[in-house]
Amino acid sequence: MVPISILDLAPVIVGGTPRDSFKRSLDLAQHAEKWGYHRYWLAEHHNMPGIASSATSLIISHVASGTEKIRVGSGGIMLPNHAPLVIAEQFGTLESLYPGRIDLGLGRAPGSDQPAMRALRRGLGSDGNDFPEMLSELRGYLDPSRETAVPGVRAIPGEGLNIPIWLLGSSGFSAQLAGQLGLPFAFASHFAPGYLLTALELYRGGFRPSEALEKPYAMVGINIIAADTDEEANKLATSQLQQFLNIIRGRTGLLNPPVDNMEALWTAQEKTYVQQQLSYSIVGSKETIRQKLKQVQQETKADEWIVAAQIYDHEARLKSYQIVAEIMQESASS
């Protein structure tokens, strides 16, 4: 059985608030733990009204405090937005509070627009190109034997704790770096699928064993929206389609309710672009999901799946993740 995990953006829906989103995230995580999901990751985004997980470390603690066994982490923390010492301390604190359950997934993208980038970074002057150096500094705080931290500075808590570090990406840069460093790698094919297979090849082909990992371990992001019928699932998926449509139009907003027909909302060109961005999405009934997921597994040979589902109605979102869990359990027992 390939492990399966959840990527949550803590969506803020039309008619809802961030407070509602946090309650729903915890409820989903509690169900996910019961259904056998392996991890529950939250993503850092800024200046986006429809995503409530901007203070990622805080909502990780919120989810971890309300669950018992499931791993909880970041998918990811955008390291160029932060001083490495701060992240070492934050995740050292999380690991101290919830030992053996915390993952630190790191990305080099800003997770925001240009004005938000300036507001976050102020005088730091980081544009992501120094990500390898920042990563090395961060790892030095957690493991002083590396001697890569700022001399005389210690991360308390953080120092000496075994916090798994993942590199996240949507291009070849992080794939190659993860391989060179012998770290697990997660690819964001749920929104940037075009480079997935190339990135996996780069990662696996350039992998060097390390104290963290003996062989490559690749997690693949995928959108899955499941329901009792294909028709119902396709309608639920229109919330996600609207969200991506707004993104390519340069708009940000709350997650909209589903619609009966997308054709009145987008042009033919916009439709093609959105469908390309969501090509690693599976929408449908249990049998449809089962067959398509099997095909994608054969294509990618993913070591783990991490599933995103931008669904407006919380009960429908829970049911979608439950159906996916049932598929994986049935596959394991067959």
Side-chain angles (χ1 to χ4, degrees), residues 13 49 67 72 92 100 102 111 117 133-134 148 154 156 203 206 232 262 295 297-298 306 315 333:
I13 66 171
T67 52
V72 188
I102 300 299
M117 287 169 57
E133 291 76 19
M134 296 182 75
T148 55
R154 301 170 64 188
I156 309 295
Y203 170 62
E232 182 184 355
M262 284 292 299
Q295 294 170 7
Q297 175 64 34
Q298 291 172 343
I306 188 160
E315 293 304 317
S333 60

Side-chain angles (χ1 to χ4, degrees), residues 8 13 46 79 112 126 132 171 173 191 249 254 260 265 269 299 301 324 327:
D8 181 13
I13 66 171
H46 300 280
L79 189 55
S112 58
S126 175
S171 66
F173 183 94
F191 70 84
R249 288 175 173 175
L254 307 182
D260 291 324
L265 301 181
Q269 183 178 10
E299 183 180 63
K301 297 178 175 60
V324 174
I327 291 170

Side-chain angles (χ1 to χ4, degrees), residues 170-173 175-176 185 187 189 192-202 280:
S170 57
S171 66
F173 183 94
Q176 289 179 301
F185 174 62
F187 191 87
S189 39
Y195 207 74
L196 170 62
L197 298 180
T198 301
L200 291 177
E201 184 177 352
L202 286 170
Y280 274 88

Side-chain angles (χ1 to χ4, degrees), residues 78-134:
M78 301 298 108
L79 189 55
N81 293 339
H82 310 277
L85 175 62
V86 171
I87 299 305
E89 292 170 339
Q90 288 180 1
F91 277 77
T93 300
L94 288 168
E95 176 63 22
S96 299
L97 289 169
Y98 315 106
R101 296 180 55 206
I102 300 299
D103 296 324
L104 175 51
L106 298 169
R108 62 187 286 265
S112 58
D113 55 21
Q114 291 289 334
M117 287 169 57
R118 288 194 293 270
L120 284 163
R121 299 175 187 180
R122 299 191 180 274
L124 295 179
S126 175
D127 60 4
N129 290 328
D130 57 352
F131 179 78
E133 291 76 19
M134 296 182 75

Side-chain angles (χ1 to χ4, degrees), residues 27 30 141 179 249 280 323:
D27 186 53
Q30 290 169 338
Y141 291 124
R249 288 175 173 175
Y280 274 88
I323 290 171

Side-chain angles (χ1 to χ4, degrees), residues 254-280:
L254 307 182
L255 186 67
N256 288 313
V259 295
D260 291 324
N261 187 358
M262 284 292 299
E263 298 306 317
L265 301 181
W266 54 17
T267 66
Q269 183 178 10
E270 288 172 334
K271 177 180 180 179
T272 298
Y273 187 79
V274 170
Q275 289 177 336
Q276 288 174 347
Q277 294 300 105
L278 295 174
S279 59
Y280 274 88

Side-chain angles (χ1 to χ4, degrees), residues 15-232:
T17 67
R19 179 179 174 85
D20 299 328
S21 300
F22 299 147
K23 289 180 179 179
R24 292 177 182 130
S25 289
L26 179 55
D27 186 53
L28 174 57
Q30 290 169 338
H31 280 86
E33 183 170 69
K34 179 175 64 177
W35 293 330
Y37 280 88
H38 189 43
R39 310 174 201 275
Y40 195 97
W41 279 8
L42 295 130
E44 177 186 350
H45 291 277
H46 300 280
N47 204 25
M48 295 184 178
I51 298 176
S53 52
S54 54
T56 316
S57 298
L58 292 180
I59 190 171
I60 287 172
S61 185
H62 171 63
V63 169
S65 69
T67 52
E68 297 179 358
K69 298 181 295 183
I70 193 169
R71 298 193 66 87
V72 188
S74 57
I77 290 289
M78 301 298 108
L79 189 55
N81 293 339
H82 310 277
L85 175 62
V86 171
I87 299 305
E89 292 170 339
Q90 288 180 1
F91 277 77
T93 300
L94 288 168
E95 176 63 22
S96 299
L97 289 169
Y98 315 106
R101 296 180 55 206
I102 300 299
D103 296 324
L104 175 51
L106 298 169
R108 62 187 286 265
S112 58
D113 55 21
Q114 291 289 334
M117 287 169 57
R118 288 194 293 270
L120 284 163
R121 299 175 187 180
R122 299 191 180 274
L124 295 179
S126 175
D127 60 4
N129 290 328
D130 57 352
F131 179 78
E133 291 76 19
M134 296 182 75
L135 172 62
S136 179
E137 181 183 340
L138 170 58
R139 297 181 79 194
Y141 291 124
L142 300 176
D143 179 5
S145 69
R146 294 181 177 277
E147 299 182 349
T148 55
V150 174
V153 179
R154 301 170 64 188
I156 309 295
E159 184 177 289
L161 297 180
N162 182 22
I163 305 170
I165 291 178
W166 291 67
L167 295 194
L168 282 54
S170 57
S171 66
F173 183 94
S174 291
Q176 289 179 301
L177 183 60
Q180 291 167 5
L181 298 177
L183 295 174
F185 174 62
F187 191 87
S189 39
H190 59 291
F191 70 84
Y195 207 74
L196 170 62
L197 298 180
T198 301
L200 291 177
E201 184 177 352
L202 286 170
Y203 170 62
R204 290 165 175 155
F207 184 84
R208 301 173 186 171
S210 70
E211 70 279 6
L213 208 58
E214 293 183 357
K215 59 183 181 179
Y217 193 95
M219 178 192 289
V220 173
I222 190 168
N223 300 295
I224 301 180
I225 296 178
D228 288 333
T229 66
D230 289 348
E231 292 75 18
E232 182 184 355

